[in-house]
């Protein structure tokens, strides 16, 4: 450590601070490269991250090379030559002239000349996951031991950042798998409770008629009616799963259709109010697709809860756009509940997740005996304008 001056240490601490702040991995690694060049006086710095098999580079970030040069060099290094040496044997490597190394394969066309070289591995829990490379010390000198120490410490910061980003990715993936699993569980339950029960009852009725051997006509007549009902329920479930009307007809029509389905199914009166800034049904005036989907799904959960738990006689679904914001409320006049008491359902948790995904927030206001309001506020993002005819810029 003796070789590290106070200024170097301060710069290293600065660099590590970036790692600890919640920056995008790419941005953190870029900052580390900038620090590496400042600390060592290298003209060029690069950082290669290996793929999951730890054989090839999956990411290669550079600093000091302008866009045009990078474009001219073309493809990312494949990990042959000296870069490959570092991958196969992850130990710091300092060379006065990179081209003199026995494994050197030369530079691709357009590559700036590089002499002095310093490469250090990026290791995570003892395994090499990439390398930090520095070349061309600006005063033409070779890299020193102090440069190597700085590079090792920066590579260590890069390792922390890469490891952290990977575990965040894994946590996100795990959460989305869990959500999908819970959703599947709900639909399975729905199919079990709705369709399977109905079909089971039908089978019992038909087999007992068979055993009795008489009165077929009445039983078959009933069965036909019941089958018709089951088909309608199944169709409703399929529509709930994949509401075609949302992408084709837009949010308002889809919500109206949903409201209609819920009120015929449950007898609850459902009113819908949609007031969007530009809602004339024209393509270019639509909200962002993900936002429409989120609003629809939240409204759907609100309506399902109102019909399942609230015993409400009236429900109102309102979508109102204000400045840069869209608010959805689902209000019922039912029995209400205490939102603070724990619940084993997934619906309201899913609502919060959905709102969060599109940058919104959701809340439930309710009290026993006082009805329930589910509300969500989203940033009003719009779909890309839909161009009809020639682009105005061409005219
Ligand atoms: N509109 C409402 N009126 C009365 N009680 C409600 C209402 N909405 C929710 N609740 C209560 O809150 C609980 C949690 O609702 P949530 O939607 O999270 O789960 P769920 O509807 O029970 O199950 P799931 O939505 O997973 O099918 C419900 O079980 C119910 O007791
Ligand atoms: Mg629910």
């Amino acid at each position: 450590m003796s070789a590290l001056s106070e200024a170097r240490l301060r710069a290293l601490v600065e660099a590590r601070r970036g790692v600890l702040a919640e920056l995008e991995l790419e941005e953190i690694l870029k900052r580390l490269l900038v620090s590496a060049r400042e600390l060592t006086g290298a003209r060029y710095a690069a950082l290669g991250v290996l793929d999951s098999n730890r054989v090839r580079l999956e990411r290669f970030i550079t600093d000091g090379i302008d866009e045009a040069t990078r474009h001219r060099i073309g493809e990312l290094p494949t990990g042959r030559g000296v870069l490959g040496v570092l991958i196969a044997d992850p130990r710091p490597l300092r060379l006065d002239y990179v081209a003199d190394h026995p494994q050197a394969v030369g530079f691709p066309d357009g590559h700036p000349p590089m002499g002095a070289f310093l490469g250090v591995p990026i290791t995570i829990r003892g395994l090499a996951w990439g390398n930090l490379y520095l070349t061309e010390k600006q005063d033409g000198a070779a890299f020193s031991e102090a440069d190597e120490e700085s590079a090792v410490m920066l590579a260590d910061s890069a390792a922390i950042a890469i490891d952290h980003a990977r575990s965040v990715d894994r946590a996100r993936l795990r959460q989305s798998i869990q959500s999908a699993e819970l959703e599947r569980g709900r639909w399975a339950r729905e199919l079990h409770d709705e369709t399977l029960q109905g079909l089971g009852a039908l089978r019992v009725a038909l087999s007992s008629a068979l055993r009795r051997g008489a009165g077929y006509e009445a039983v078959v007549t009933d069965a036909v009616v019941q089958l018709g009902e089951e088909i309608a329920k199944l169709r409703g479930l399929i529509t709930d799963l994949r509401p075609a009307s949302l992408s084709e007809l837009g949010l308002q029509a889809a919500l109206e259709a949903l409201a209609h389905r819920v009120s015929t199914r449950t007898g609850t009166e459902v009113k819908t109010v949609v007031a969007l800034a530009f809602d004339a049904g024209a393509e270019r005036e639509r909200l962002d697709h993900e936002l429409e989907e989120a609003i629809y799904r939240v409204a759907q959960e609100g309506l399902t809860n109102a019909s399942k738990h609230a015993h409400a006689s009236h429900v109102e679904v309102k979508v109102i756009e204000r400045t840069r914001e869209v608010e959805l409320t689902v209000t019922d006049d039912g029995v209400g509940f205490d939102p603070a008491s724990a619940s084993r359902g997934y619906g309201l948790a899913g609502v919060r997740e959905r709102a969060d995904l599109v940058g919104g927030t959701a809340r439930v206001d309710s009290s026993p005996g006082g009805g329930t309001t589910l509300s969500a506020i989203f940033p009003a993002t719009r779909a890309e304008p839909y161009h009809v005819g020639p682009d105005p810029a061409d005219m």
Side-chain angles (χ1 to χ4, degrees):
M1 279 308 124
S2 57
L4 288 175
S5 70
E6 204 190 315
R8 271 179 188 249
L9 274 174
R10 211 175 295 128
L12 284 167
V13 169
E14 266 314 302
R16 190 160 290 206
R17 198 163 284 153
V19 174
L20 297 176
E22 290 278 312
L23 297 170
E24 283 288 319
L25 180 60
E26 188 94 4
E27 185 54 32
I28 295 173
L29 298 179
K30 280 210 173 103
R31 285 191 190 188
L32 287 175
L33 290 183
V34 173
S35 305
R37 284 180 57 213
E38 279 167 9
L39 280 165
T40 60
R43 185 153 175 193
Y44 307 109
L47 197 148
V49 182
L50 295 176
D51 64 11
S52 52
N53 300 321
R54 299 195 302 118
V55 198
R56 293 173 67 89
L57 295 171
E58 85 172 4
R59 199 194 277 264
F60 195 75
I61 305 167
T62 57
D63 190 53
I65 294 180
D66 58 79
E67 259 319 300
T69 310
R70 209 184 143 136
H71 190 71
R72 230 179 314 128
I73 306 171
E75 271 182 42
L76 299 183
T78 51
R80 291 186 310 135
V82 175
L83 300 194
V85 171
L86 273 161
I87 292 171
D89 182 17
R91 276 183 303 176
L93 181 64
R94 249 192 295 151
L95 303 168
D96 290 350
Y97 292 100
V98 67
D100 288 349
H101 191 278
Q103 304 260 343
V105 288
F107 292 115
D109 287 347
H111 199 288
M114 291 180 180
F117 176 91
L118 168 61
V120 295
I122 293 169
T123 50
I124 301 172
R125 285 180 287 277
L127 288 178
W129 279 102
N131 289 290
L132 172 67
Y133 316 102
L134 297 164
T135 53
E136 286 286 288
K137 213 168 147 97
Q138 246 150 11
D139 47 18
F143 287 104
S144 65
E145 201 182 320
D147 293 333
E148 186 177 314
E149 276 183 27
S150 301
V152 166
M153 291 184 82
L154 288 168
D156 197 32
S157 297
I160 295 170
I162 293 166
D163 193 32
H164 177 69
R166 289 202 173 140
S167 61
V168 169
D169 282 350
R170 272 196 298 274
R172 271 200 204 117
L173 185 63
R174 202 174 305 130
Q175 199 186 14
S176 76
I177 290 173
Q178 258 169 18
S179 301
E181 205 50 52
L182 285 166
E183 276 277 336
R184 275 198 284 274
R186 300 180 83 204
W187 289 112
R189 219 159 57 220
E190 209 77 35
L191 278 170
H192 174 269
D193 295 353
E194 291 279 324
T195 310
L196 207 57
Q197 299 289 328
L199 290 178
L202 189 59
R203 187 173 65 177
V204 170
L206 287 174
S207 13
S208 82
L210 255 188
R211 263 200 312 278
R212 284 200 313 272
Y216 276 149
E217 201 165 317
V219 175
V220 170
T221 311
D222 281 354
V224 168
V225 172
Q226 214 177 327
L227 266 177
E229 282 168 11
E230 291 314 320
I231 289 170
K233 273 191 215 163
L234 202 52
R235 207 169 262 148
L237 272 174
I238 291 167
T239 317
D240 285 352
L241 255 174
R242 268 260 139 265
S245 55
L246 184 56
S247 48
E248 285 156 22
L249 306 175
L251 188 59
Q252 178 156 9
L255 286 176
E256 279 163 3
L258 173 67
H260 181 72
R261 281 202 306 281
V262 171
S263 69
T264 40
R265 204 185 297 158
T266 63
T268 316
E269 191 190 311
V270 185
K271 193 177 154 199
T272 46
V273 178
V274 177
L276 292 173
F278 302 101
D279 203 35
E283 196 96 15
R284 60 192 308 170
E285 290 151 4
R286 300 267 304 257
L287 293 171
D288 192 67
H289 176 69
E290 277 198 337
L291 177 56
E292 284 191 343
E293 175 108 17
I295 294 173
Y296 183 90
R297 292 299 184 190
V298 174
Q300 189 174 34
E301 181 57 31
L303 278 171
T304 307
N305 279 351
S307 58
K308 229 170 45 178
H309 311 295
H311 311 290
S313 47
H314 299 277
V315 188
E316 187 174 53
V317 179
K318 244 199 236 178
V319 180
I320 308 288
E321 181 168 0
R322 309 215 174 76
T323 327
R324 286 191 283 278
E325 237 176 48
V326 182
E327 184 177 24
L328 162 73
T329 50
V330 181
T331 311
D332 70 58
D333 61 355
V335 298
F337 70 110
D338 175 12
S341 63
S343 137
R344 265 194 282 159
Y346 170 70
L348 291 176
V351 158
R352 291 201 181 88
E353 246 172 45
R354 277 222 175 247
D356 191 50
L357 269 178
V358 289
T361 53
R363 56 178 286 171
V364 181
D365 290 294
S366 187
S367 58
T372 301
T373 298
L374 169 64
S375 50
I377 295 183
F378 308 93
T381 45
R382 297 233 172 248
E384 283 295 301
Y386 180 73
H387 289 294
V388 189
D391 190 324
D394 294 335
M395 300 195 291

